Amino acid sequence: QTNALTLTPDGHPDKQSWLYNLSISLQKRFDRVGDAADLAEAIRCSTRSVELLPENHPHRAMMLRLLGGLFDTRLRSPHAHADDATHAMRAFLEAMKHPISHPLDRLRTSLQYASLLTKSSHLFITPPPLTVLEAYDHALSLIPQIIWLGNNVRSRYTSGALGIVKKGVSEATTAAITRREYDRAVEWL
């Protein structure tokens, strides 16, 4: 993948996809081996893939979610940088609010954003633009776009979305109960 990218000019229409795929491969190798250089290169490739992608591309949220996830991974590793939480938050925020991207990508990103805030809120100097409960509220507002009655029952169950929605509702409800927002927890359930 690295050799193919070296031979590919920036104007090539598939370069951002190849950078995205290389980022995933490097992340998987980091997960197995733990080499910080792999994670740093994955972040570099993922950043470049987002830069090459047009603002109005429907895969933008998916690529931003990967980038945010890479920063989040490094944040939780011994190789963390001081600004990883901020970079992850920015990537997640842009992805979850990207109107052209698939709602499932935006829902997944909203859940990752909420998780980042839950686990790393102490790392932010200024309060993040959205609170944990606002992120969950955003995620759950996307459910009708993902599992809507216009889909047949089989597609609702086979898309994998139902499991993600179930997990999201559970996490959101737990967060609301933890913050003593009982009415909101009941509403979300």
Side-chain angles (χ1 to χ4, degrees):
Q1 288 175 325
T2 302
N3 288 341
L5 277 167
T6 303
L7 298 170
T8 306
D10 277 351
H12 193 283
D14 292 328
K15 187 159 187 173
Q16 70 267 8
S17 296
W18 296 344
L19 284 161
Y20 174 83
N21 291 335
L22 178 57
S23 298
I24 292 171
S25 297
L26 288 164
Q27 181 184 24
K28 288 180 189 248
R29 190 165 72 181
F30 170 78
D31 291 342
R32 287 202 174 263
V33 179
D35 186 354
D38 286 335
L39 189 54
E41 183 64 11
I43 289 171
R44 190 192 68 74
C45 289
S46 185
T47 300
R48 187 69 182 131
S49 74
V50 170
E51 289 170 353
L52 291 174
L53 199 66
E55 291 285 328
N56 61 351
H57 196 283
H59 292 146
R60 190 163 182 84
M62 178 182 69
M63 291 187 169
L64 283 163
R65 184 167 57 88
L66 173 65
L67 180 58
L70 290 168
F71 281 117
D72 193 27
T73 297
R74 187 167 67 184
L75 176 66
R76 299 183 198 306
S77 78
H79 317 290
H81 292 192
D83 55 356
D84 284 342
T86 301
H87 288 307
M89 178 190 65
R90 286 183 185 148
F92 289 153
L93 274 172
E94 184 182 343
M96 63 192 270
K97 294 186 173 198
H98 193 259
I100 299 170
S101 293
H102 193 282
L104 188 57
D105 284 326
R106 295 184 351 240
L107 181 135
R108 284 180 171 144
T109 306
S110 299
L111 297 177
Q112 283 181 278
Y113 176 89
S115 175
L116 172 70
L117 292 186
T118 300
K119 295 174 184 171
S120 306
S121 61
H122 62 284
L123 297 175
F124 295 102
I125 296 168
T126 59
L130 292 178
T131 66
V132 171
L133 294 183
E134 289 170 331
Y136 282 125
D137 196 43
H138 180 78
L140 299 183
S141 75
L142 296 167
I143 292 173
Q145 297 176 41
I146 297 165
I147 304 174
W148 63 291
L149 295 176
N151 285 343
N152 62 39
V153 173
R154 182 177 180 179
S155 69
R156 282 185 250 162
Y157 282 93
T158 58
S159 69
L162 210 54
I164 295 164
V165 168
K166 179 181 174 185
K167 179 181 182 272
V169 170
S170 176
E171 289 174 2
T173 304
T174 301
I177 290 170
T178 301
R179 288 160 180 79
R180 299 184 188 275
E181 294 274 345
Y182 303 118
D183 291 343
R184 191 180 296 208
V186 170
E187 177 188 338
W188 285 343
L189 280 174

